[in-house]
Amino acid sequence: MSVKTINPKQKLLLGAGFDVLHFENKEWLNTIRFWKDEVKFFDNLLNKKGILETNKQDYLKMLKSLDKIHTDLFEDIEDDIIAHEKLLSRIEKAEKGLSDNLYREEHQKISNRIETFKTDFYQFKKIVFDFTKNI
């Protein structure tokens, strides 16, 4: 059983002011926009004529990974960050019934998801680059 440690930066950010958390939300959204551009690039690269014939099984596996990335990135994480940002706005307006601690816990969960996604995406990019350099 592995023990998950909290990144010291994440621990520091969780105690930070809302302005810092808001900034991190914006950074995540900008990173996701960049990743979207990369996904378009990889999609175009993988759909070029001749790649399919090179190694159909690897090609199909990469397309499946690309679809998963698309779903996780476009439909899940980005929507959750936007909802999280809206909740922050409601907390800053002192709306009753909202918890500062719950917001920070959710921020930690999103941060962990971003880090997991980043690792998976980097692994996917490595696979694509290794595959295409042999073409």
Side-chain angles (χ1 to χ4, degrees), residues 18-134:
F18 285 133
D19 58 330
V20 175
L21 299 176
H22 168 71
F23 181 77
E24 187 170 41
N25 289 338
K26 294 298 181 191
E27 279 186 322
W28 289 338
L29 291 171
N30 286 333
T31 299
I32 288 172
R33 282 186 204 101
F34 178 73
W35 285 340
K36 283 181 180 182
D37 287 341
E38 284 187 309
V39 167
K40 288 176 191 172
F41 169 79
F42 290 125
D43 187 46
N44 289 336
L45 182 66
L46 292 174
N47 284 309
K48 285 193 181 232
K49 188 175 182 172
I51 289 182
L52 176 59
E53 291 80 23
T54 304
N55 188 331
K56 187 174 182 176
Q57 189 174 10
D58 286 344
Y59 174 78
L60 293 175
K61 185 190 292 186
M62 283 185 287
L63 286 183
K64 185 176 178 180
S65 293
L66 191 57
D67 285 342
K68 181 184 181 316
I69 287 168
H70 184 272
T71 300
D72 289 347
L73 179 63
F74 295 174
E75 296 173 12
D76 248 7
I77 297 174
E78 186 175 30
D79 290 345
D80 288 349
I81 294 169
I82 291 168
H84 187 63
E85 186 68 10
K86 288 177 183 177
L87 177 59
L88 176 59
S89 176
R90 292 173 53 208
I91 289 172
E92 287 180 322
K93 292 176 184 173
E95 192 174 306
K96 289 186 180 186
L98 299 177
S99 168
D100 176 77
N101 287 336
L102 288 177
Y103 178 83
R104 292 175 188 279
E105 288 174 16
E106 185 63 27
H107 195 85
Q108 177 66 48
K109 289 177 186 174
I110 292 173
S111 180
N112 290 341
R113 286 175 62 202
I114 291 284
E115 288 304 313
T116 299
F117 183 85
K118 186 187 304 183
T119 301
D120 292 347
F121 191 51
Y122 288 155
Q123 185 64 33
F124 170 76
K125 291 184 340 184
K126 184 180 181 327
I127 291 167
V128 171
F129 287 137
D130 288 346
F131 178 77
T132 57
K133 75 179 171 188
N134 295 323

